[in-house]
Amino acid sequence: MAENRSMQEQDVPVYLFTGFLEAGKTKFIQETLEDKRFNNGEKTLLLLCEEGEEEYDISAMPYQEVYIRTIEEPEELTSEHLTALLQACGATRVVLEYNGMWQLARLYQNLPDRWAVYQEMFFVDATTFLQYNANMRSLVVDKLNTCELVIFNRFTEAMDKMTFHKIVRGVSRRTDIAYEYTNGQVEYDEIEDPLPFDIEAPVIHLADTDYALWYRDIMEDPAKYDGKTISFRGIVARDPKFPPKTFAVGRHVMTCCVEDIAYSCVVAEWQSAEMLQTRQWVQVTGKIHVKKHKLYRGKGPVLDVQEIVLTGPPEQEVATFY
């Protein structure tokens, strides 16, 4: 009985494949499920959230039992429905082909408790990507935000890798990038992305144009900045609910469009914090300490303020990545 309970409590691995229609998801998933290195006889639930021109051939997947189920509307993405689909076929893992026109937040918010995304890959048709990015930027950003790897297929020598690279890096510095050429050759992106400021300087002086890049970097890897002294221009935010001598300072950052502009700030501590007012622009200098703080609900970068100077807004008040 104890062994059965342990089996029931194990995570259900989810392999998530995102992308727009005809981006190559189906072909890749088919080849993966045919590969015996991916299979040990598991029962697999193959969830399809869209129908492309290609169809799956289960007869070519001899090493496992595959059960295909379809999600036709995003409203069907509920924890209860997903759990019922899994239990009905007795599968122990999920391969999910997600509809590129649906926001990923709906899926992540409704995954059953035991379902864990083990891998997320974003497939892109390089010949149409720039059009998607120009016309449906929020959907592109949505997929780039969380994927581990983006694959640009149908890539050609005439295409500028730097253009694609910058779009990806404008959203994530962690996502790996691969270019699959029309001849089948695959090339991984090795373009370096040096930060536009000197992280080893006695004081890291951020230009106004660098705030968005710095903020994303410190939130992805706060330990890199632990003990570093930094100076930047930002907007003050105070709240009576904050602990004594505590305030927030940061910038409004736009990732992809006006709708996603958000106040992106760090917690700051200063003896004279009560002198500050919300919406004041300041040039703040202080030392970063990564530690637990109730405003983070855990660990995060806390700025121990050394100096504050009142200033005006920068030429571009909303910070962007490029």
Side-chain angles (χ1 to χ4, degrees):
M1 290 292 290
E3 182 178 350
N4 289 339
R5 281 197 300 272
S6 177
M7 293 272 296
Q8 293 172 357
E9 292 170 0
Q10 289 180 356
D11 283 345
V12 175
V14 178
Y15 300 91
L16 176 59
F17 301 91
T18 68
F20 304 108
L21 273 174
E22 310 310 317
K25 301 189 298 295
T26 302
K27 180 175 181 290
F28 184 88
I29 293 171
Q30 176 76 39
E31 291 174 353
T32 300
L33 292 175
E34 290 179 14
D35 190 340
K36 59 184 177 182
R37 294 172 298 178
F38 185 70
N39 304 295
N40 289 311
E42 302 98 328
K43 291 184 178 180
T44 301
L45 172 61
L46 175 54
L47 273 180
L48 310 181
C49 296
E50 63 182 359
E51 293 186 19
E53 291 186 4
E54 290 190 54
E55 294 186 357
Y56 287 97
D57 180 7
I58 294 182
S59 66
M61 309 172 188
Y63 307 105
Q64 61 182 314
E65 295 181 47
V66 178
Y67 301 85
I68 298 179
R69 299 293 183 267
T70 303
I71 302 287
E72 296 184 351
E73 300 294 337
E75 290 74 21
E76 296 178 49
L77 290 170
T78 66
S79 178
E80 295 77 15
H81 184 52
L82 295 175
T83 298
L85 289 174
L86 187 76
Q87 292 178 343
C89 61
T92 58
R93 66 177 180 178
V94 177
V95 173
L96 203 164
E97 182 178 350
Y98 200 67
N99 190 320
M101 304 304 291
W102 299 353
Q103 294 284 343
L104 276 167
R106 180 182 287 272
L107 173 66
Y108 276 107
Q109 290 167 3
N110 291 285
L111 281 179
D113 289 341
R114 288 176 47 237
W115 289 28
V117 176
Y118 275 28
Q119 188 175 45
E120 180 181 337
M121 300 173 66
F122 180 26
F123 288 81
V124 178
D125 181 346
T127 64
T128 59
F129 176 69
L130 298 183
Q131 291 177 320
Y132 272 105
N133 187 61
N135 299 318
M136 290 185 284
R137 171 75 171 157
S138 61
L139 288 172
V140 170
V141 170
D142 177 62
K143 306 306 178 291
L144 288 173
N145 258 327
T146 52
C147 70
E148 299 161 50
L149 172 66
V150 55
I151 299 173
F152 292 108
N153 56 44
R154 305 185 182 104
F155 208 78
T156 69
E157 295 288 348
M159 294 176 177
D160 181 10
K161 282 189 291 187
M162 182 59 77
T163 299
F164 292 78
H165 173 94
K166 283 187 174 182
I167 292 172
V168 177
R169 288 292 171 258
V171 180
S172 171
R173 293 179 67 89
R174 295 176 295 179
T175 299
D176 291 325
I177 306 170
Y179 306 96
E180 183 173 352
Y181 290 85
T182 51
N183 63 4
Q185 176 189 355
V186 176
E187 181 181 356
Y188 285 90
D189 190 300
E190 295 183 352
I191 299 173
E192 293 188 10
D193 291 292
L195 291 166
F197 45 85
D198 184 1
I199 195 171
E200 300 302 331
V203 178
I204 303 170
H205 290 279
L206 292 185
D208 293 328
T209 53
D210 296 339
Y211 183 84
L213 286 169
W214 170 77
Y215 186 78
R216 184 182 61 194
D217 198 51
I218 194 172
M219 288 305 171
E220 290 182 351
D221 188 7
K224 182 195 300 184
Y225 294 89
D226 195 21
K228 303 283 186 180
T229 300
I230 190 154
S231 181
F232 63 90
R233 176 157 41 180
I235 309 172
V236 169
R238 295 195 62 220
D239 191 304
K241 297 178 182 178
F242 287 178
K245 304 174 184 177
T246 301
F247 66 101
V249 60
R251 296 274 304 276
H252 289 90
V253 174
M254 180 173 69
T255 301
C256 70
C257 51
V258 173
E259 288 74 14
D260 79 351
I261 293 176
Y263 181 56
S264 303
C265 60
V266 295
V267 174
E269 295 179 335
W270 189 41
Q271 290 290 334
S272 303
E274 70 278 359
M275 297 171 55
L276 299 172
Q277 298 178 10
T278 295
R279 297 189 181 87
Q280 278 183 324
W281 281 95
V282 296
Q283 183 73 31
V284 59
T285 303
K287 182 172 287 190
I288 294 287
H289 297 290
V290 179
K291 61 183 182 180
K292 287 186 178 180
H293 197 286
K294 61 167 53 177
L295 295 187
Y296 286 124
R297 299 179 182 177
K299 281 189 174 183
V302 177
L303 185 67
D304 181 8
V305 175
Q306 299 168 349
E307 181 184 40
I308 282 186
V309 178
L310 295 181
T311 184
E315 182 177 346
Q316 181 177 310
E317 293 194 25
V318 175
T320 58
F321 290 95
Y322 288 102

